[in-house]
Amino acid sequence: MDQNLERIERFRLRLLELSNKYPSQRQSIIESSTIVYMNCKPTFNFSKHLQDEKIKGKIQNIFNEVFQ
């Protein structure tokens, strides 16, 4: 479980760094940082307010790096 918590924290920190690069999307990026475990597999959802496909791609890449 500790490893899972470390990964969640790393994911959130990376999204915080990303949000500093895109201040106008900061809240939507932060809202996308909630990790849920379903059937022992991590998942997340993009904020419904996040429309920028480039940022979504960056978030997905961060998620893949941290949780794969």
Side-chain angles (χ1 to χ4, degrees), residues 31-62:
E31 287 173 1
S32 300
S33 70
T34 301
I35 299 294
V36 176
Y37 277 83
M38 297 187 65
N39 299 322
C40 300
K41 295 182 93 177
T43 187
F44 77 100
N45 291 315
F46 294 109
S47 167
K48 63 182 177 184
H49 303 290
L50 185 60
Q51 302 298 319
D52 189 314
E53 293 300 320
K54 180 180 174 182
I55 295 173
K56 284 182 176 182
K58 289 179 183 279
I59 293 171
Q60 186 66 56
N61 288 339
I62 292 169

Side-chain angles (χ1 to χ4, degrees), residues 1 5 9-10 13 16 22 24 26-27 33 40 47 57 59 65:
M1 188 61 154
L5 292 176
E9 186 62 24
R10 194 170 344 130
L13 288 173
L16 184 58
Y22 300 96
S24 65
R26 181 177 178 85
Q27 186 63 35
S33 70
C40 300
S47 167
I59 293 171
E65 288 173 20

